[in-house]
Amino acid sequence: MRIIFTILIYLIVFTSIISSQTYLDSTATVRERVNDLLSRMTIDEKIGQMIQADHKAIADMQDMLTYHIGSVLSGGGSDPDAGNSPEAWADLYDSFQQKALESRLMIPMIYGIDAVHGHSNVTSAVIFPHNIGLGATRDSALVEETARITAVEMAATGMDWTFAPCVTVPQNERWGRTYEGFGETPGVVAPLGAAAVRGFQGDSLNMLTSVVGCAKHFLGDGGTTDGIDRGNTELGEEELRAVHLPGYIAAIENDVKTVMVSYSSWNGQKMHGHEYMINEVLKTELGFEGFVVSDWAGIDELPGDYSSDVETAVNAGVDMVMVPNNYVDFFNILKSHVQTGAVTGARIDDAVSRILAVKFESGLFEHPYAQRSLLSIVGSESHREVGREAVRKSLTLLKKNDNVLPLPKTAVKIMVAGEHGDDIGLQCGGWTIQWQGAAGDITDGTTIYEAIQQAAPGAEIIFSADGSYSGEAPDCAVVVIGEEPYAEGTGDRTDLNLDYSDIMIAKKLKESGLPVITILISGRPMIINPVLHFSDAFFAAWLPGTEGRGIADVLFGDYNPHGLLPMSWPKNMDQIPINFGDDNYDPLFPLDYGISTFANSTPGSAPQFESGMVKEGGEIIELAFNKSMNNSGNSSAEFAVLKNGSEVIGVTDFYISEYDNNRIILELDGTLSAEDKVTLSYISGNIKSEDGGTLAAFDNKEMINFLVNSPQVFSLPEKVEAENYADMFGVQTENTSDIGGGLNVGWIDDGDWMDYNCALDFSGTFYINFRVASESSGGKINFLVDGNKLFDQTVPVTGGWQSWTTVASLADLTRGEFTIRIYAENGGFNLNWFDIVTFTDVEDNSGDLFQFNLQQNFPNPFNPTTTIKYSIAEPSPVKLKVYNALGMEVATLVDEYKSCGDYSLDFDGAALASGIYFYRLSAAAYESVHKMMILK
């Protein structure tokens, strides 16, 4: 009620004085209003208009008046204290606007926010695909509509100004802000950036549903060396202009009102201090009449102290400074510079005139408060339908085998696998609710799994994060994999290979005989070759936002795939950066690539070679084709395998894969290694597809060397979760009710196994504990290291598949890297984890025994006590602790600082049960473990 009352008072006062003050007369021209208001302002009031502070930094609302703050923002995650609802945002906005309008001249503040793919800080708002996905649509009208809806939802909460569109031209996929760009060429970026400006700002900026747009980040942020965020763009001016300037030209031609400066440098000079690019090129040459804003604390990165930062940036043409926290220092420093003449009054007037003009043009003086009548349509179904259309048009089909898509809606069991398949936060990516984004149920929307359920109510739809299932096998699997959310800085990557666990989900399901449709959720092209090989169809879904129904629309054939690659897709990390027009341009998929039909290949046409892979063991190559190769006439063929460009490897046999008729297995008479580069040629013309198409000859097709994919390496000693295997045979994972929850490995039958890649820094004797359960039959585990059996361990009957116990064995392990295989000699048990615990003298990395003099404990076994004797070579803290055979601490005998010398103590074990125990003595850098026995 207080805010509404204040609004009424404002309108009464506003009406009473309008006749005498031109700047409050909406019928006057913008220039007349700016000149009139500027003439009335003090230097303090002018400097205040150049300040943008984060709302969280303004601890005292009176500072809005004391420092005449002209703009407020919410950085990523800077939400209202009252919550993250649209209503809370409207209240937040109005509270700041109310205070701003209490100022002498009643100048409204302008509120900025990163609404970069929808009003993405606000729960219940529609989250659209990030720009890279919109770039795949190539649909300017659709991009304009998504921006228009964003503007409407912003206006409902009062937000006046979005820091969008980003018209960067990403040139290196390593860059963590790649997804903020529409594509890798100005030809893709410029028209879509212009469309976004039109959508945000509307037919008229003073419409109640229009917001101020902001082209960013000026200039060259997408071209930094090695894709380093805030890095250095090393280009000649001609190339800088040709690649990175057209997006700004298009935005200015569409009357964008603000431009944000880039953190990056151009040939070593920070853009926040680049007078030539800001004043001469942007404002003079291009005729930009709006105002220039810094990025978040962007001037702080200029060379010199903060005082010189302020002077340099303002004189270079930055009109408003996103402080965002130390607005008091900025105010005082800039005022001092004006007083000394380091910054002229004319420069201040130019900056403030530009800011005021945007405020007048946007109707802030007439309509300063949130448009609360629009709150009911934030996240409305009509808005979400536009998001749904954007998702389905952005979905880019990169691979499609025959008879895979579209999916049927009835009489089918579909598995959705991968954690990205049912996680709205992963689906949206960075700049969603929080700055860096987050996994989980962070906002309203429809996940891919939920969308598939909704689209096919007559089908059985199951979800499994790791691709495991029980009972009847699914008919197909939709595997959804990808990146974790990230934003600027943290998103920079030196390695864009997919997570090994993601590859293994697709591999496991493909090799179980299921058709696999893979959907990649990512902010950029990734290195996808291995998972592409295990996929019958592959979609790049980019970062689609909240409307997963758009993906289901395409999967079930209600809409044909539409997306075209906005960026070239690299084959490997060595190709990055790769961009259209490069010399020797040879990507995995070129710019503009995208399959637009689900139609099968023509019967009798030549089968399409999709990929070849060197499989585990290095003794076979698997070839994948787009259709069935099950033709009885395939009796001979001439394949030539070449290793490292010169060594010929013979092919001894070939046959159809046992799990997929689209695949041919080549058996080799040699073994390939992870270091080998392998190519394949085919020359005979004797291979035919099932429908009679003849495989065309090909030369030197590069094979995917799956041996180079490095699974997780466990640094021992540590606990190893059973489901984190590098490879396996015959097992499945399932949810466990054991302590800690998570997954266990189950359905372990005779002969099944799991492999784990391990590294051990020191040799010694270790206890290996197994967490097992068995309903009725028990079992036996064989423990192998690099194929050599160390021991076996009996698994007891625990009375249930989720009734857990721990069993242990003792074994010597040698420092180095090796593969542990857990092999079921007799099955009938579940395994949750195994734990390797140190309990003996150990070697350091050089192989030398720790020189600690552990003399003796006697008697051993002891009853009722034993005497432990030891000596200390140098003064140090000493710990002496006793552990049971499972590695659990049962007693602390010494924990204090001791001088050098000989020591003796008596240990009474009366309270302990009979069994084997160990005590560990540590002092300084030395450690020793000794065994003792208690017999009663």
Side-chain angles (χ1 to χ4, degrees):
M1 288 298 296
R2 184 171 180 269
I3 290 177
I4 295 174
F5 178 75
T6 303
I7 293 172
L8 294 174
I9 294 298
Y10 165 79
L11 292 174
I12 294 170
V13 173
F14 183 89
T15 303
S16 68
I17 64 176
I18 190 172
S19 59
S20 62
Q21 296 183 343
T22 301
Y23 78 92
L24 293 177
D25 181 2
S26 62
T27 64
T29 67
V30 169
R31 183 47 52 196
E32 289 171 339
R33 298 178 77 179
V34 169
N35 290 341
D36 178 58
L37 179 53
L38 196 67
S39 69
R40 301 171 186 272
M41 296 174 71
T42 66
I43 187 61
D44 286 8
E45 289 168 328
K46 291 177 181 179
I47 290 173
Q49 286 299 302
M50 298 173 68
I51 293 174
Q52 184 176 58
D54 187 90
H55 92 85
K56 292 284 191 182
I58 304 174
D60 186 347
M61 287 289 280
Q62 192 62 28
D63 282 357
M64 290 291 294
L65 303 180
T66 302
Y67 299 101
H68 313 282
I69 294 174
S71 182
V72 178
L73 86 150
S74 282
S78 182
D79 305 331
D81 293 336
N84 204 8
S85 67
E87 292 78 10
W89 280 95
D91 291 343
L92 174 72
Y93 175 90
D94 283 349
S95 67
F96 279 97
Q97 194 65 281
Q98 173 188 323
K99 182 57 67 172
L101 293 173
E102 293 176 10
S103 62
R104 181 179 70 91
L105 295 171
M106 296 187 297
I107 303 174
M109 60 95 196
I110 184 170
Y111 205 119
I113 197 166
D114 287 281
V116 295
H117 62 140
H119 198 9
S120 51
N121 288 271
V122 182
T123 53
S124 78
V126 180
I127 309 299
F128 295 106
H130 268 296
N131 282 352
I132 193 171
L134 294 179
T137 72
R138 299 297 202 281
D139 191 332
S140 295
L142 179 59
V143 171
E144 182 172 345
E145 190 172 8
T146 63
R148 182 95 291 273
I149 289 172
T150 301
V152 170
E153 298 200 354
M154 286 177 63
T157 62
M159 304 291 115
D160 312 295
W161 177 18
T162 175
F163 303 132
C166 185
V167 292
T168 185
V169 186
Q171 299 292 285
N172 192 314
E173 293 83 352
R174 293 181 177 91
W175 187 38
R177 305 190 79 159
T178 293
Y179 64 75
E180 296 187 41
F182 291 107
E184 73 181 29
T185 66
V188 174
V189 171
L192 299 183
V197 170
R198 293 193 299 272
F200 290 130
Q201 298 189 169
D203 296 333
S204 172
L205 195 59
N206 66 9
M207 293 168 51
L208 297 182
T209 56
S210 292
V211 298
V212 175
C214 180
K216 66 180 189 183
H217 307 87
F218 189 84
L219 180 67
D221 55 337
T224 61
T225 300
D226 295 327
I228 297 172
D229 193 43
R230 307 190 184 192
N232 187 26
T233 300
E234 299 175 87
L235 294 174
E237 185 170 350
E238 182 179 358
E239 187 176 358
L240 181 76
R241 285 173 173 264
V243 175
H244 298 283
L245 198 58
Y248 295 92
I249 295 173
I252 291 168
E253 288 174 347
N254 284 269
D255 201 26
V256 70
K257 293 301 179 183
T258 67
V259 169
M260 182 181 290
V261 186
S262 174
Y263 284 117
S264 60
S265 304
W266 175 40
N267 292 332
Q269 183 176 350
K270 281 287 187 181
M271 289 303 305
H272 273 80
H274 213 299
E275 183 175 3
Y276 168 69
M277 292 307 305
I278 299 174
N279 279 335
E280 295 189 34
V281 175
L282 179 62
K283 291 184 174 180
T284 302
E285 178 185 328
L286 299 185
F288 174 61
E289 296 180 349
F291 69 83
V292 175
V293 64
S294 80
D295 208 333
W296 177 280
I299 70 168
D300 298 31
E301 298 191 3
L302 291 170
D305 60 17
Y306 193 63
S307 177
S308 69
D309 294 346
V310 173
E311 177 184 346
T312 299
V314 172
N315 283 334
V318 177
D319 302 307
M320 180 182 286
V321 176
M322 192 184 295
V323 183
N325 298 311
N326 57 337
Y327 54 86
V328 176
D329 288 345
F330 177 85
F331 179 91
N332 292 328
I333 288 170
L334 184 53
K335 183 175 180 179
S336 174
H337 285 325
V338 174
Q339 291 168 341
T340 63
V343 177
T344 66
R347 173 68 195 103
I348 298 296
D349 285 353
D350 172 60
V352 176
S353 295
R354 289 170 176 269
I355 295 166
L356 294 177
V358 172
K359 290 185 175 183
F360 284 123
E361 289 171 350
S362 60
L364 269 173
F365 282 80
E366 289 71 47
H367 305 286
Y369 290 99
Q371 304 302 314
R372 292 174 181 265
S373 63
L374 301 174
L375 285 171
S376 62
I377 63 173
V378 173
S380 64
E381 185 57 30
S382 63
H383 288 182
R384 293 189 182 278
E385 280 298 319
V386 176
R388 181 178 184 174
E389 181 184 6
V391 172
R392 63 179 173 243
K393 282 194 170 183
S394 67
L395 196 61
T396 308
L397 181 58
L398 300 181
K399 176 182 178 180
K400 176 196 66 66
N401 290 342
D402 284 0
N403 304 311
V404 174
L405 292 170
L407 298 177
K409 292 185 177 181
T410 58
V412 66
K413 181 178 181 180
I414 301 172
M415 167 190 280
V416 179
E419 62 177 354
H420 286 71
D422 193 28
D423 191 306
I424 202 72
L426 298 181
Q427 199 171 293
C428 291
W431 291 110
T432 308
I433 307 303
Q434 302 174 27
W435 172 36
Q436 295 289 328
D441 190 19
I442 62 174
T443 191
D444 299 339
T446 306
T447 68
I448 296 170
Y449 169 57
E450 293 167 341
I452 290 173
Q453 287 180 307
Q454 294 172 18
E460 181 183 356
I461 314 296
I462 62 173
F463 174 76
S464 171
D466 67 347
S468 61
Y469 59 89
S470 58
E472 184 179 353
D475 295 295
C476 65
V478 177
V479 177
V480 192
I481 59 176
E483 295 187 284
E484 298 293 312
Y486 57 85
E488 56 187 299
T490 64
D492 289 1
R493 297 283 189 273
T494 58
D495 184 359
L496 297 178
N497 285 285
L498 294 173
D499 286 348
Y500 183 77
S501 59
D502 281 348
I503 298 171
M504 290 303 292
I505 292 174
K507 178 179 185 291
K508 174 173 63 176
L509 292 171
K510 179 73 261 181
E511 293 184 349
S512 68
L514 299 184
V516 172
I517 298 94
T518 301
I519 299 173
L520 177 65
I521 306 295
S522 71
R524 51 194 154 195
M526 308 286 289
I527 308 305
I528 61 172
N529 307 58
V531 79
L532 195 68
H533 180 79
F534 295 120
S535 304
D536 296 280
F538 189 98
F539 289 95
W542 313 108
L543 297 170
T546 52
E547 305 313 302
R549 294 177 298 170
I551 292 174
D553 289 339
V554 177
L555 289 177
F556 290 103
D558 297 325
Y559 291 85
N560 284 327
H562 179 94
L564 301 176
L565 285 182
M567 302 188 72
S568 304
W569 204 289
K571 293 178 179 179
N572 50 52
M573 287 303 299
D574 292 339
Q575 281 193 331
I576 295 175
I578 184 169
N579 295 286
F580 180 76
D582 288 348
D583 294 337
N584 303 316
Y585 183 69
D586 183 30
L588 183 64
F589 300 107
L591 179 74
D592 295 333
Y593 181 83
I595 300 170
S596 59
T597 177
F598 289 149
N600 293 331
S601 57
T602 304
S605 61
Q608 178 179 327
F609 172 80
E610 295 285 0
S611 58
M613 176 179 283
V614 179
K615 298 293 288 293
E616 297 94 333
E619 296 171 349
I620 66 169
I621 291 176
E622 180 179 84
L623 308 180
F625 299 89
N626 68 319
K627 53 173 141 180
S628 172
M629 303 300 289
N630 188 19
N631 189 312
S632 59
N634 292 338
S635 58
S636 64
E638 294 183 19
F639 292 101
V641 177
L642 202 62
K643 181 171 77 171
N644 300 323
S646 60
E647 184 179 346
V648 176
I649 303 294
V651 177
T652 60
D653 196 9
F654 77 97
Y655 48 87
I656 297 295
S657 166
E658 64 181 12
Y659 66 84
D660 185 356
N661 288 341
N662 285 38
R663 294 162 189 266
I664 290 177
I665 303 298
L666 306 182
E667 289 190 353
L668 309 179
D669 67 359
T671 301
L672 301 169
S673 70
E675 291 74 30
D676 292 329
K677 182 177 180 180
V678 183
T679 59
L680 178 74
S681 298
Y682 166 72
I683 58 176
S684 75
N686 291 335
I687 299 295
K688 295 181 182 296
S689 62
E690 184 174 339
D691 64 11
T694 301
L695 177 63
F698 56 78
D699 290 322
N700 297 321
K701 293 281 189 181
E702 186 171 344
M703 301 294 100
I704 304 163
N705 194 334
F706 190 70
L707 305 178
V708 306
N709 285 273
S710 300
Q712 181 178 359
V713 176
F714 297 97
S715 297
L716 302 180
E718 71 166 304
K719 178 191 286 186
V720 179
E721 297 292 342
E723 69 271 16
N724 291 336
Y725 45 75
D727 201 1
M728 63 85 181
F729 174 77
V731 304
Q732 294 184 31
T733 58
E734 58 193 3
N735 292 325
T736 182
S737 60
D738 195 16
I739 296 172
L743 300 172
N744 68 258
V745 171
W747 302 85
I748 300 174
D749 296 322
D750 296 358
D752 293 347
W753 52 263
M754 297 85 70
D755 281 349
Y756 304 88
N757 294 335
C758 302
L760 182 63
D761 290 336
F762 51 86
S763 301
T765 303
F766 298 84
Y767 256 90
I768 295 95
N769 305 312
F770 301 92
R771 188 69 169 168
V772 292
S774 179
E775 185 173 62
S776 58
S777 61
K780 182 181 285 187
I781 293 172
N782 283 329
F783 188 91
L784 294 83
V785 174
D786 285 341
N788 298 312
K789 179 180 173 181
L790 289 194
F791 62 86
D792 56 55
Q793 173 64 51
T794 299
V795 176
V797 174
T798 63
W801 295 117
Q802 294 298 318
S803 298
W804 296 92
T805 190
T806 304
V807 295
S809 292
L810 195 66
D812 292 327
L813 297 175
T814 303
R815 183 177 71 246
E817 296 183 0
F818 46 82
T819 298
I820 290 175
R821 173 166 289 188
I822 307 296
Y823 177 85
E825 180 178 338
N826 298 115
F829 62 90
N830 288 351
L831 178 66
N832 194 11
W833 48 259
F834 64 94
D835 191 14
I836 296 181
V837 182
T838 311
F839 275 114
T840 190
D841 295 332
V842 297
E843 296 178 12
D844 67 13
N845 291 337
S846 66
D848 295 329
L849 282 173
F850 288 127
Q851 298 302 308
F852 186 84
N853 183 13
L854 177 63
Q855 293 181 324
Q856 62 177 335
N857 65 290
F858 182 85
N860 187 8
F862 66 94
N863 188 13
T865 62
T866 189
T867 300
I868 300 173
K869 296 181 178 182
Y870 61 96
S871 60
I872 301 295
E874 59 184 82
S876 63
V878 175
K879 295 181 185 293
L880 178 59
K881 296 187 177 184
V882 180
Y883 300 84
N884 65 17
L886 297 181
M888 300 174 62
E889 181 182 331
V890 296
T892 297
L893 306 184
V894 179
D895 188 2
E896 61 183 285
Y897 189 92
K898 288 184 175 293
S899 58
C900 58
D902 296 328
Y903 293 90
S904 175
L905 63 86
D906 293 331
F907 172 44
D908 185 355
L912 301 178
S914 296
I916 298 175
Y917 294 85
F918 298 84
Y919 59 90
R920 178 184 302 208
L921 185 64
S922 59
Y926 305 127
E927 181 176 337
S928 185
V929 179
H930 208 68
K931 182 168 67 175
M932 66 175 76
M933 296 180 63
I934 297 179
L935 298 178
K936 294 185 176 180

